[in-house]
Amino acid sequence: MAKLTKKKFLNTTASQIGRMTGPELRSLLRGARQLFNAQEKTFQRQKNLYSHALDKMQTYYDETGKQNVNSMKVNKMRSELFRLQEFFDSKSSTVPGARKIAIEQDRRIFGENSKGKPAQRMTMEQREKFWAAYTEFQNTMGEAFFRRMGSDRIQQFLGQMTTERRGNPDSIISEEAFEELYRRLSVQNERDNWEMSNYEYGDDDVLSGKRPY
């Protein structure tokens, strides 16, 4: 079998993988693992560059272990192949992509300076802790809360706490930190609702009877 390329791997459809025999799956998985190992080494040569896609794939292997391909069951091989396809299809699976995403994230979270660059940059450790905290907070509060507050706002407030706790990035992943984040978001949301109410009805609407209370 010819050496597997990233393009060929991503072009292999789910239905094709579903029809593959055990030997075919083993061959494809060996090639896909080689591609991943090479990309992982590329990231290891970079300094202060975080990849969410790489972190997610490494977490998968930490939790499941890299089993010997020869002893893996068919369904397990398919599951890992789909995970690897998801990795290579992610923008942050490449060094240029991860750099671009990091800049866009910092610009969205911290705003821009006069030159149009992010007002602040997170270190790799801060970025790892930031997204770990964001994911944990999302799991704790639920999707409905995130939709109501807005993911961009949550990231901005969490970014403020990251800046404040620069000396201890781990401190943003705690019950106390999540309670503080919830309090700040709730206060801002209440303030926004109050300002919107005043904007819609005007200052003298209570006396004129136009406001609904």
Side-chain angles (χ1 to χ4, degrees):
M1 181 177 178
K3 186 176 180 180
L4 185 67
T5 64
K6 174 182 172 180
K7 182 178 179 179
K8 185 175 181 180
F9 179 50
L10 286 176
N11 285 339
T12 305
T13 66
S15 60
Q16 287 174 325
I17 292 175
R19 293 193 301 269
M20 285 182 179
T21 63
E24 290 172 331
L25 288 169
R26 294 185 207 289
S27 178
L28 182 62
L29 182 54
R30 288 192 186 98
R33 280 188 179 183
Q34 288 179 350
L35 290 173
F36 174 76
N37 291 339
Q39 196 64 7
E40 187 177 36
K41 289 179 181 178
T42 297
F43 272 102
Q44 289 171 348
R45 291 193 292 268
Q46 304 299 314
K47 292 184 178 180
N48 199 31
L49 181 61
Y50 172 75
S51 164
H52 180 67
L54 179 64
D55 186 45
K56 187 176 180 180
M57 196 66 215
Q58 289 174 331
T59 299
Y60 170 79
Y61 280 131
D62 287 342
E63 293 175 350
T64 63
K66 270 190 178 181
Q67 300 179 29
N68 187 316
V69 176
N70 291 329
S71 61
M72 291 178 69
K73 294 183 178 180
V74 167
N75 286 340
K76 183 64 177 176
M77 286 190 287
R78 289 195 180 107
S79 177
E80 185 175 338
L81 284 166
F82 292 141
R83 289 273 188 166
L84 285 165
Q85 282 190 324
E86 181 183 354
F87 166 76
F88 283 110
D89 198 39
S90 300
K91 291 182 179 179
S92 63
S93 66
T94 67
V95 170
R99 284 189 178 134
K100 183 177 181 180
I101 288 173
I103 293 173
E104 292 172 348
Q105 288 172 350
D106 288 343
R107 182 180 287 116
R108 183 174 64 252
I109 294 167
F110 302 110
E112 298 181 350
N113 59 24
S114 59
K115 297 181 180 180
K117 295 182 178 181
Q120 183 177 320
R121 299 303 309 274
M122 284 191 282
T123 65
M124 182 173 179
E125 182 183 13
Q126 288 173 333
R127 203 176 300 280
E128 287 176 343
K129 301 302 181 185
F130 177 93
W131 289 110
Y134 179 86
T135 301
E136 184 64 27
F137 187 65
Q138 185 177 36
N139 292 336
T140 300
M141 302 307 301
E143 291 292 339
F145 177 84
F146 264 59
R147 285 195 298 270
R148 187 167 72 254
M149 294 298 175
S151 60
D152 283 358
R153 169 162 289 177
I154 293 172
Q155 290 174 27
Q156 289 163 1
F157 276 66
L158 186 58
Q160 292 173 6
M161 292 176 63
T162 299
T163 301
E164 295 166 2
R165 302 169 184 227
R166 184 182 293 272
N168 184 15
D170 285 319
S171 68
I172 63 171
I173 312 177
S174 66
E175 184 177 348
E176 176 272 328
F178 290 164
E179 288 177 353
E180 173 63 14
L181 179 56
Y182 175 81
R183 185 193 68 79
R184 295 187 187 189
L185 288 165
S186 297
V187 168
Q188 184 61 50
N189 190 57
E190 184 178 349
R191 183 179 295 120
D192 288 347
N193 289 338
W194 183 86
E195 290 177 351
M196 180 60 69
S197 177
N198 277 296
Y199 173 78
E200 289 177 348
Y201 295 106
D203 294 336
D204 60 352
D205 287 341
V206 173
L207 296 178
S208 66
K210 295 178 183 178
R211 298 191 73 166
Y213 55 85

